[in-house]
Amino acid sequence: MSTEGHTVRTERIGGTLLITIDRPKARNAVNAAVAAGLAEALDTLEADPGLRAGVLTGADGTFSAGMDLKAALNGESPEIPGRGFGGLTEASLTKPLIAAVEGWAMGGGFELALGCDLIVAAEDARFGLPEVKRGLIAAGGGVIRLPKRIPHHLAMELLLTGEPVTGRRAGELGLANRVVPAGDAAGVALQLAEGLAANAPLALAAVKKIVRAADGVPDADAFAAQREEMGPLMASADVREGMTAFAERRAPKWTGR
């Protein structure tokens, strides 16, 4: 599928939707067309029961340079109401999404990666939030999410200096699940997605929802939210299938019901 202006491409690979930001001449910067294209691609991922996970990457060795400043100066918005920057950073997705980062993930590009569930980074990738150098802040989730992902003082260093770190350093900080040779990020991300797709879709969705609900709340409230999810989950056909498949020593056949 190609979207408006051919700025976002999608390819179905087994149970995974590979989503590629395709504006290489603009270093895959996010303008209104990219935001609309990403939102459409994510809607496709969510709506298709045959798709179990997504991989987000950028064309020609660059993840994304972030917000297209020229487009923004011309009045274009890189945000989708209710879904945030690039149609992703404030979206509530039920299916796992993996960022495959090659080259630059700067500003909003870094924030798109932070909006994913897992990150695979090329060792020579560059992650940075340079907004303070332009009189801005990383308002697409960077200021909010980064201090939750890495130690406080390290997050503050990245946010206050605006200086980038390599993919290798991102791995050392715990930002990246896998650090791989340049050119391998998408392939490794697709392998990870294939592994996720083998698991029960209702359970994956429940994990994501509970993790979000537990963020920053007392344990009692987190467990209450978890109980709300566990009732329907335990009554699902997939739970029975998982137990039956284990007893019969075979691979489960998930239906998402």
Side-chain angles (χ1 to χ4, degrees):
M1 177 190 73
S2 294
T3 57
E4 179 185 353
H6 305 287
T7 57
V8 175
R9 293 185 283 108
T10 61
E11 180 183 358
R12 182 172 181 148
I13 302 173
T16 301
L17 188 67
L18 177 61
I19 304 168
T20 304
I21 304 172
D22 192 13
R23 294 187 71 212
K25 292 183 179 179
R27 294 199 301 166
N28 298 322
V30 179
N31 59 7
V34 169
L38 286 176
E40 181 182 343
L42 295 173
D43 284 345
T44 297
L45 172 63
E46 287 286 287
D48 190 334
L51 292 170
R52 300 293 177 83
V55 170
L56 176 63
T57 193
D60 289 6
T62 295
F63 186 71
S64 174
M67 180 172 64
D68 186 326
L69 294 179
K70 292 181 180 179
L73 285 171
N74 288 330
E76 283 192 33
S77 174
E79 298 192 3
I80 300 293
R83 302 176 67 150
F85 180 80
L88 167 61
T89 59
E90 296 176 47
S92 295
L93 304 176
T94 64
K95 297 179 182 179
L97 184 63
I98 304 172
V101 179
E102 300 275 357
W104 292 97
M106 296 297 287
F110 191 177
E111 291 171 315
L112 290 177
L114 288 171
C116 295
D117 300 296
L118 305 177
I119 298 176
V120 176
E123 57 191 2
D124 63 350
R126 293 290 187 274
F127 294 84
L129 295 168
E131 282 83 354
V132 291
K133 294 176 179 289
R134 301 164 187 156
L136 301 169
I137 68 169
V143 172
I144 293 171
R145 289 193 169 114
L146 191 61
K148 297 178 182 179
R149 309 290 171 80
I150 64 176
H152 172 85
H153 293 103
L154 297 176
M156 292 301 287
E157 179 181 349
L158 292 180
L159 289 164
L160 294 176
T161 67
E163 294 299 319
V165 296
T166 65
R168 185 180 297 279
R169 179 59 173 157
E172 294 171 351
L173 294 175
L175 275 170
N177 299 83
R178 303 283 190 278
V179 178
V180 301
D184 288 353
V188 172
L190 287 167
Q191 291 175 0
L192 273 174
E194 183 179 358
L196 297 179
N199 296 324
L202 291 179
L204 295 175
V207 166
K208 292 194 58 169
K209 190 171 183 179
I210 293 166
V211 168
R212 286 196 298 267
D215 185 19
V217 304
D219 284 354
D221 293 340
F223 275 104
Q226 180 174 272
R227 282 191 288 273
E228 290 183 9
E229 292 300 311
M230 287 303 295
L233 186 64
M234 292 303 295
S236 70
D238 272 0
V239 163
R240 180 174 294 276
E241 167 63 10
M243 294 179 177
T244 301
F246 177 80
E248 296 178 353
R249 298 185 179 183
R250 62 171 174 81
K253 299 178 181 178
W254 309 117
T255 61
R257 296 195 295 271

